[in-house]
Amino acid sequence: MEINDLTPAESRLWRAFASGTDVDFRAAAPSAPGSPAADPPSADSDDPAHGGTWGPERTVRASVLRSLLLDGPREEGRVAALSLAGARVTGQLDLQYATVDHPVRLRHCHFDEAPRFYGARLRELNLSESVLPGLISHAVRVEGVLRLTRARFGGMVRLAGAEVTGSLYLESTRIEAPDTDGPVLQLNQAVLGADLWAPGLRAGGEVRLNGARVAGTVNLNDAVLDRPGGTAVQAETLAAEADVLMRRADVRGRLELRGARIPGRLDLSDARLANAGDTALRASSCVIGELWLREGPPVQGTLNLRRAQVDVLFLQPEVVPDRVQLNDLTYTSLIPHEPAERRLPMLEKGDSYLPFTYEQLTAAYRRIGDDDAARLVQLAKQRRRRRTLPWYGRLWGHLQDIAVGYGFRPLRAGGWLLSLLAVGSVAYGLHHPPPLKPQEAPGFNPVFYTLDLLLPVISFGQENAFSPEGGYQTLSYVLIITGWILATTVITGLTRTVSRQ
C-alpha cells in the first residue's frame, strides 16, 4: 500500500508503527504535533459503542492494519508494533492463516465487522475495551497473552481450538448474541498455558469449554452466565491444573462439568445456580480436589454428583436443593461438621434407595470420631431400606426397629427384657405353675422361670420342670416369642457392627 493512499489518521498510524509508538485518537489523549485543536467532545464521544459516528479523523481501514502487520515499515533498533486506541476500524480485519511477529493492540476501538484471525499465529493480541460485532479466531495461536478485558461483543466469540501460551483475559467482558443459536463464547478444545481470567464476565448465551485445558486457574468470580432453560456453561472434560473459581457467580441455566478434572478447588461459594425443573449443576464422573457449595442461596434445580470423586466436600445443608443425584459419589472429608440429623435429609431426596450414600456419610463421621452420628446414619439406612421391602419384610423391620433400633440401640433391648422380666416374675410369683414331676422338680423361682422363658439357649432348669395353665401358658408363649425376637435383633445388630469394623 502506498503512503499517498492513506488518510491523515492512517498516515499517523503508519509512521508510529515502525517504532511501536502508541496512537490514541481519544479526545482525552494528547493531540499529535501540528494537529489542529479539536472542539470540546461530548460526554459519550470516546465510548466505542458510539464509534459508528466517529468521523474520518479517527477512522482507519482494516486493509491498512493488515498491510502494516504483514509488511509494514521497520525502524532499526526499534520493535515495530501496532498500538492503536480510540479508532473506528472499517471493513474486516482478515488475518486468517497469517503469521504476525508484532504485538497487536487495538484498545478502545470500534469495529464495523468481526475481525478474522482463524489459524493465525500472533505474538500478542489485545482488544481490551473495544466494541466488536464478534470475533472469529478458531485455532489461533498467540505467543503471549490474549486480552479481551472489558470488551463488548455483539456476536459470537469463536476461540475453539485456540492455543495461548500465556493467559486469556476476559475481565468484565460482555458478550451478547441474541440472534445466535450456538455458543456465544467458544473455547472448546482450547489450550491455555496459564490462566483463564474472567471475573465479572457477562455472557447472554452458552459458554462452551468442552475439552479445554488450562494450566492455571479458571476464574469466573462474579460472572453472570445467562441461558435460562438451556446450558449456560458447557465444560465437559475440562482440565484445569489449579482451581475453578465461581464465587458469587450467577448461573441461569445448566452448569455442565461432566468428566472435568480439577485437582484444586471448584469454588461455588455464594454462587446462585438456577435451572428450575432441570439440572442446575452436573459434576458427574468428575475428579475434584475440593468442592465448595456454601453461603449461597439453595440451588434451584437438580444437583447431580453421580460417580464424582471428591477429596474434600464442603457442602452446607442449606444450599442442597430438593432433588439430588448422588449415585456412587465418593468423598474423603465432609465439612463443615454437622449433626447427622441435618445431613440425612440430603440422602432422602434421591429417586431411590442408595445404600452407598449412607455408607459414605457413615465413613465420613467415623473418620472424625463421631460414632454416635455414624450409628444414626446406619439406623436411617435401615429405615430407608425398609420402605423397599414387601409387607412382611416391613413388618419384621418395624419389630427390629421398635425392639432395639436395628441393633444400633442395644440398651433398648435391656429395657424390654427388664420390663418383661418384671411382668413375668410378678405374674408367676402370684400363681405358681404346677410342676410336671412333683417328686423331681426343683424349687420354683418366678424370676429364673421368667428368664428361662425369655432367654433362648440358656437354661436355669425351671422351664422344663413346670407347666403353666390357661392364661399363664399364653403368657409363657408371649415371653418365649418376644425373647427370640429380642435375641435375634441383638445378634443381627452385633453382627452388623462387627462386620463394619
Side-chain angles (χ1 to χ4, degrees):
M1 176 172 289
E2 297 293 335
I3 190 70
N4 295 331
D5 297 332
L6 303 178
T7 65
E10 293 169 347
S11 296
R12 178 183 169 189
L13 178 62
W14 193 277
R15 291 190 299 269
F17 175 82
S19 59
T21 304
D22 293 341
V23 175
D24 195 340
F25 290 135
R26 289 174 293 173
S31 301
S35 61
D39 294 332
S42 64
D44 295 328
S45 63
D46 281 334
D47 187 349
H50 302 99
T53 64
W54 291 344
E57 73 281 357
R58 55 192 305 182
T59 298
V60 177
R61 289 169 291 170
S63 58
V64 175
L65 300 181
R66 174 183 169 86
S67 296
L68 278 172
L69 293 172
L70 297 183
D71 193 25
R74 305 289 189 274
E75 184 175 324
E76 188 175 352
R78 305 294 292 271
V79 177
L82 177 60
S83 184
L84 176 63
R88 176 187 179 185
V89 180
T90 59
Q92 185 177 61
L93 178 56
D94 189 348
L95 290 170
Q96 61 178 338
Y97 301 115
T99 298
V100 178
D101 294 326
H102 319 292
V104 180
R105 306 184 188 104
L106 298 168
R107 298 170 294 110
H108 301 277
C109 291
H110 176 93
F111 289 78
D112 287 353
E113 298 183 38
R116 182 183 295 270
F117 299 106
Y118 182 92
R121 298 295 181 263
L122 307 174
R123 181 61 57 87
E124 175 193 344
L125 180 59
N126 187 342
L127 299 174
S128 297
E129 300 181 280
S130 293
V131 173
L132 309 93
L135 181 63
I136 304 169
S137 297
H138 302 78
V140 67
R141 177 179 174 82
V142 180
E143 300 285 351
V145 298
L146 173 54
R147 294 186 183 273
L148 304 175
T149 302
R150 291 183 293 280
R152 286 168 281 178
F153 294 92
M156 297 173 65
V157 178
R158 303 177 181 180
L159 289 164
E163 185 175 351
V164 182
T165 61
S167 297
L168 169 58
Y169 293 95
L170 289 161
E171 309 105 300
S172 302
T173 299
R174 297 191 177 193
I175 306 173
E176 298 290 342
D179 299 327
T180 301
D181 294 330
V184 297
L185 175 57
Q186 297 179 10
L187 280 166
N188 44 300
Q189 310 303 324
V191 178
L192 306 183
D195 301 323
L196 171 55
W197 206 255
L201 171 69
R202 301 179 68 93
E206 179 184 327
V207 175
R208 181 167 293 179
L209 289 162
N210 289 351
R213 290 183 291 159
V214 182
T217 295
V218 177
N219 187 336
L220 289 167
N221 290 337
D222 301 295
V224 178
L225 310 171
D226 190 12
R227 198 185 180 212
T231 300
V233 179
Q234 184 82 23
E236 296 187 26
T237 66
L238 168 69
E241 296 299 325
D243 302 324
V244 175
L245 307 178
M246 298 187 70
R247 299 172 186 163
R248 300 173 300 280
D250 188 355
V251 183
R252 305 163 190 169
R254 176 183 293 204
L255 175 54
E256 178 64 71
L257 292 168
R258 183 178 64 86
R261 298 293 184 268
I262 306 170
R265 183 172 73 252
L266 172 57
D267 192 346
L268 293 163
S269 301
D270 204 27
R272 180 178 182 270
L273 307 180
N275 194 27
D278 204 341
T279 300
L281 170 60
R282 184 185 184 191
S284 57
S285 303
C286 289
V287 177
I288 303 172
E290 299 182 14
L291 172 56
W292 289 20
L293 270 169
R294 64 189 187 102
E295 302 298 338
V299 175
Q300 299 178 33
T302 301
L303 174 62
N304 184 344
L305 299 176
R306 290 177 176 174
R307 300 177 300 280
Q309 300 176 38
V310 183
D311 188 19
V312 178
L313 180 58
F314 196 139
L315 181 62
Q316 290 183 329
E318 298 83 1
V319 179
V320 178
D322 294 331
R323 183 177 172 82
V324 297
Q325 296 176 348
L326 305 175
N327 314 40
D328 298 320
L329 166 67
T330 61
Y331 49 88
T332 303
S333 300
L334 179 62
I335 54 176
H337 178 61
E338 296 277 0
E341 293 85 353
R342 284 174 53 79
R343 294 291 187 190
L344 285 170
M346 176 178 67
L347 308 186
E348 300 288 334
K349 295 176 180 180
D351 295 331
S352 58
Y353 168 58
L354 300 171
F356 185 74
T357 60
Y358 290 89
E359 294 300 327
Q360 281 289 296
L361 184 55
T362 299
Y365 279 122
R366 284 191 180 134
R367 288 188 191 99
I368 60 175
D370 194 343
D371 291 332
D372 291 337
R375 283 191 292 270
L376 187 58
V377 173
Q378 285 294 302
L379 178 58
K381 173 189 173 184
Q382 295 301 321
R383 289 172 174 171
R384 179 69 176 86
R385 174 180 176 272
R386 186 172 66 208
R387 300 204 295 266
T388 67
L389 301 175
W391 68 268
Y392 49 85
R394 293 196 298 273
L395 177 60
W396 176 242
H398 280 294
L399 288 174
Q400 292 189 78
D401 196 356
I402 293 170
V404 291
Y406 284 97
F408 296 104
R409 293 177 177 172
L411 292 179
R412 186 181 294 180
W416 281 107
L417 286 172
L418 289 175
S419 299
L420 293 171
L421 178 61
V423 170
S425 298
V426 170
Y428 293 118
L430 294 175
H431 189 280
H432 292 194
L436 292 173
K437 297 179 180 181
Q439 302 300 325
E440 301 176 5
F444 181 75
N445 187 308
V447 175
F448 282 95
Y449 180 74
T450 305
L451 284 174
D452 247 354
L453 296 175
L454 284 172
L455 301 178
V457 181
I458 298 176
S459 176
F460 295 101
Q462 294 279 315
E463 180 183 359
N464 295 329
F466 299 92
S467 177
E469 298 173 345
Y472 295 97
Q473 187 178 34
T474 302
L475 176 60
S476 70
Y477 296 154
V478 171
L479 292 174
I480 291 171
I481 293 172
T482 306
W484 274 102
I485 292 174
L486 289 172
T488 303
T489 52
V490 168
I491 292 171
T492 301
L494 291 174
T495 303
R496 188 181 298 119
T497 301
V498 171
S499 65
R500 285 196 309 272
Q501 299 299 327

